[in-house]
Amino acid sequence: MKKIKSLRGKKIKSLRGRIFVDIMIVAMFPILIFAIISQGSLRAWQKNDLQERMQANIENADRCLDIQLDKYNAILFDLCTDDVVVEAVENINNNNDAMEVNTSKLRHELSHVCNRNQGIEGITIFLANGEVIFYDKQNSSSISSDWAGKVYCPEVKKEQVYQGQMQPIVVNDKHTYLLQIARNLIDYRDIHEKLGTVVFSIDEQLISDTLQVGANANTYLLERNYVISAPSVAKIGRTLVNQKSQFTICIERDISTYRKTMNEQVGMLIGVAFIAFLVMIFLSYIFTRPYIYVIQSVGQGFHEVETGNFETRLEFWKRAPE
């Protein structure tokens, strides 16, 4: 009899556990579904939001770069079409520069353009006869310079050519990276005759400041996969080719804010799930209690009958279901 009682007691406990587990599974299943769906939606929303912000930053940087380049292109165009400059260059090319009068005119004009416009660190003119005339703003000199007379003269086939410098110039222990714009000097009376090439050397920092248009993001300017303008040495992010300069704009964005938000959402979800789990345990205990009480009463009655007590009566809880 003790064995039968023990087996029945185990069955009652097993039934109680089975009911409890079934209720927990039924209760937690929708919670898990909700958690998975909400996390997936949140991640998708954050990814789209990040991409939209980065794309907006790229487009804004592209417009700002266009505006800045247009400014210097206008100055360069005015210099290349100035009658005084064109006449002086023609005279020098034709070896008609007694006492270097025309050379002095060009140097004075280059000095005037550099000192009047912020960001132009030097101007170099490569003449058709092979001579080089320059003005170095940092040294305030048109005669002696460690870099202004040695800049690379690109081949200009269209209106203007842009090029970055991988190595900085050093003047008075100050390192300055340059971005250069080149344009041909052409006499408007004979557009097929090339008089020379003018190269503007622009402070890269000015371009870098122009490109920084977004919060928590760094914008870089790349030429053939080399960074030529950046707040720091790195290149990562989405790209957009600027139609004027054919440079590549690269965005690097700090996503720590998004990760922090995601971690907070995951933590909150785990907390809600844990609280829901405790609530479900409590509710399961409350709701299964009447049924377990009935089963225990029936089991106890069976046990009394087996022992020969046929006068036993089953006791039911008042709140037990009928």
Side-chain angles (χ1 to χ4, degrees), residues 13-29 277 284 288:
K13 292 181 180 180
S14 176
L15 180 61
R16 178 188 300 172
R18 182 65 180 273
I19 293 175
F20 176 77
V21 171
D22 290 345
I23 292 177
M24 291 303 301
I25 291 175
V26 172
M28 293 302 296
F29 188 70
F277 180 76
S284 298
T288 60

Side-chain angles (χ1 to χ4, degrees), residues 137-161:
K137 181 179 179 179
Q138 294 196 357
N139 287 312
S140 299
S141 174
S142 58
I143 299 175
S144 175
S145 175
D146 294 332
W147 65 272
K150 303 175 184 179
V151 300
Y152 173 72
C153 180
E155 182 181 0
V156 182
K157 295 181 179 180
K158 296 182 180 181
E159 293 182 351
Q160 60 271 329
V161 171

Side-chain angles (χ1 to χ4, degrees), residues 55-74:
Q55 185 63 32
N57 288 343
I58 289 176
E59 293 175 356
N60 289 336
D62 187 57
R63 285 192 294 268
C64 292
L65 180 61
D66 280 346
I67 293 173
Q68 193 68 266
L69 293 179
D70 284 343
K71 168 188 172 182
Y72 291 114
N73 282 330

